[in-house]
Structures are given as structure tokens and as C-alpha cells.
Amino acid sequence: MRPEQCVTGNHIEVCHGSVLPSAPDRISFWMVLRGSLLPILVWTGVGCFAYFVFNPVVAIVLGGLLTLLFIVGFGLRRRAKHSVRCSAYGALGGVLDKSITGF
């Protein structure tokens, strides 16, 4: 994959399409976080609820699961010959986007 195509709006899916630029362009980390604001808020709320209602261990397990999914996504993207930056942004956006599909 050519470097100029790697970190583009075509490769990183986030929840809010209005956040992404209209044409393929380099995406900043802030743009990925801004596009993933809803999943971040949902998972923060779920983690806080689990921490206070059940046990801190439940919140740690939830965070570990999301971290594991990020690592797997990062590894799959690196194996597909994406750059480190594209892999990190894509894995973060992908985990957050796909994790709230059921909500």
C-alpha cells in the first residue's frame, strides 16, 4: 500500500461521517477521537457503572477486553502492510465503532 493512501478517510471508519474530510486526506488523532466520541462516552459510562455497582475488577476486565481488541486490530492492519500510524488510528476507530454496533 502506498503511504499517501494509508491514513485516509477511506481506511478509518468512525461513528460520525461529518467529522471526516470530504476527500481522502491525512487524519489527525484528534479527528479519530472526535469521531468516536459517542463510543468513548458509552464505554466510559459502562466502565464507571461496573466499577461502582459490581467491582473494580469488572471494570478492569472490560478495559482489558477493549485493549485486547485494539491490539488484535493493530496487528491485523500491520500484517496487511499498513503504516504504524494508520494501524493505530484504524484499530482505535474500528474498536470504538464496532463495539457499540449492538447498542
Side-chain angles (χ1 to χ4, degrees):
M1 179 165 292
R2 295 188 325 223
E4 64 270 9
Q5 293 177 334
C6 196
V7 183
T8 66
N10 298 332
H11 287 74
I12 298 174
E13 296 180 20
V14 292
C15 283
H16 304 292
S18 61
V19 173
L20 294 175
S22 59
D25 195 13
R26 293 185 75 80
I27 293 178
S28 66
F29 184 69
W30 169 246
M31 195 175 296
V32 173
L33 288 180
R34 198 174 86 198
S36 302
L37 190 58
L38 178 62
I40 290 171
L41 292 175
V42 167
W43 284 115
T44 301
V46 169
C48 289
F49 178 78
Y51 180 84
F52 289 113
V53 173
F54 296 109
N55 196 347
V57 175
V58 176
I60 292 170
V61 169
L62 179 64
L65 179 64
L66 290 173
T67 303
L68 177 68
L69 291 173
F70 172 80
I71 292 169
V72 168
F74 182 83
L76 290 173
R77 283 173 173 79
R78 287 297 292 157
R79 185 170 286 185
K81 306 232 185 287
H82 288 262
S83 68
V84 173
R85 181 179 180 170
C86 179
S87 298
Y89 290 1
L92 178 64
V95 166
L96 293 173
D97 180 38
K98 303 295 187 268
S99 66
I100 65 162
T101 303
F103 286 113

